[in-house]
Amino acid sequence: MASDGDAFETITVTVEAGVAEITLNRPDKLNSFNTMMHRELRAALKQIAGDDTVRAVTLTGAGRGFCAGQDLSDRVMSGADDAPDLGETLDAHYNPLVRSLRAMEKPVIAAVNGVAAGAGCNIALACDLVLAGESASFIQAFCKIGLIPDSGGTWTLPRLVGWQRALGMAMLGDKISSEQAEEWGLIWKRLPDAELMPEARKLAAHLATQPTKGLALIKQAMNASMTNDFADQLDLERDLQRVAGRTADYREGVQAFIEKRAARFTGA
Ligand code: LHQ
């Protein structure tokens, strides 16, 4: 995939040394989603998913925010009779987006550089590892406008932070600081703002040198564990370990261990 930050209007995408970095780029609107940003992000993720040379992905936001969810200026209703079908918006845009993040067969890091509100929060939480700058915050803003957490929020939140905190976040819509988010296990790690992108890049660069197929299988197993019972999960681990054991990277990992050298994983 070409490294070209100029091909899109509402996002930028760069590819370097096996890492794709996507930046949501509507900073004057706190990177909230309009239809074009959905289309462009979908196209970028599709390209990245199909490119075996890309072995890790980072998603971040331009300016002072990560993403404020849906662009509400697109959603102003003209009269009392307007009854929009928001389910259609979810079917067309948000659900395919979070599905593609969960299904991506490579690690996806969210580098949350500022406020992550509404769908913006849940899109970050749909990534595999969430890093946040200390000035970042997480808001389930939906309840303030009469909506429910979408983009997987009602599924992800109770699993990440437990029932009470999930309901508190969803029903009150309070701003959760990055400190609180780290303490609750909503995110992987909180970093000083100036270190967020350097650390996210370091982490992505590391992941891009790891056994990509194995990481994808880990992700698949973890995803399935959310709905499987223990017996089914053991069966799935057996099946996926069988696949992992047939990768070149497993062979290389064992060989490198025996030879007491660093492994050179190719992602195959
Ligand atoms: C925005 C937005 C925004 C447009 C800031 N839209 N301009 C799915 C299905 C279909 C429809 C509905 O939605 C969904 C999913 C959802 O995501 S629903 C939830 C939508 N998001 C929200 O309700 C969050 C709205 N934003 C806010 O509450 C605040 O902006 C937060 C708390 C995120 C940040 O507050 P501040 O740091 O005080 O910034 P600000 O409010 O001053 O915003 C800066 C600018 O960004 C401002 O524009 P302006 O021209 O006045 O400088 C805002 O209007 C604009 N902006 N969010 N979602």
Side-chain angles (χ1 to χ4, degrees), residues 7-182:
F8 299 110
E9 269 181 47
T10 61
I11 62 173
T12 62
V13 183
T14 59
V15 179
E16 205 184 316
V19 176
E21 187 171 300
I22 304 173
T23 305
L24 305 176
N25 193 25
R26 303 181 72 228
D28 53 325
K29 299 267 188 182
L30 291 181
N31 304 318
S32 55
F33 273 89
N34 60 7
T35 304
M36 182 180 283
M37 196 159 92
H38 273 297
R39 283 208 191 104
E40 293 189 341
L41 185 56
R42 183 175 327 142
L45 288 171
K46 191 173 172 203
Q47 246 179 309
I48 288 165
D51 184 344
D52 286 345
T53 68
V54 175
R55 293 169 62 190
V57 186
T58 303
L59 179 65
T60 191
R64 71 175 177 88
F66 174 75
C67 174
Q70 171 67 37
D71 184 334
L72 295 176
S73 54
D74 270 8
R75 296 289 166 157
V76 178
M77 283 156 274
S78 52
D81 292 338
D82 277 2
D85 182 354
L86 300 190
E88 213 165 72
T89 309
L90 297 187
D91 261 346
H93 298 300
Y94 289 95
N95 289 353
L97 168 57
V98 292
R99 276 198 194 101
S100 74
L101 292 169
R102 294 310 314 140
M104 179 76 70
E105 291 178 345
K106 35 198 121 197
V108 184
I109 299 166
V112 182
N113 53 301
V115 66
C121 182
N122 294 334
I123 288 162
L125 301 180
C127 297
D128 299 317
L129 292 172
V130 185
L131 302 182
E134 57 196 357
S135 68
S137 57
F138 300 84
I139 311 176
Q140 294 293 319
F142 309 88
C143 60
K144 309 262 191 196
I145 54 170
L147 297 184
I148 70 162
D150 58 26
S151 305
T154 58
W155 190 87
T156 311
L157 284 170
R159 287 166 168 82
L160 284 174
V161 297
W163 193 257
Q164 273 297 297
R165 286 166 177 165
L167 277 171
M169 285 182 76
M171 296 183 101
L172 301 172
D174 288 347
K175 183 187 275 198
I176 305 299
S177 67
S178 59
E179 198 172 7
Q180 187 80 90
E182 186 181 48

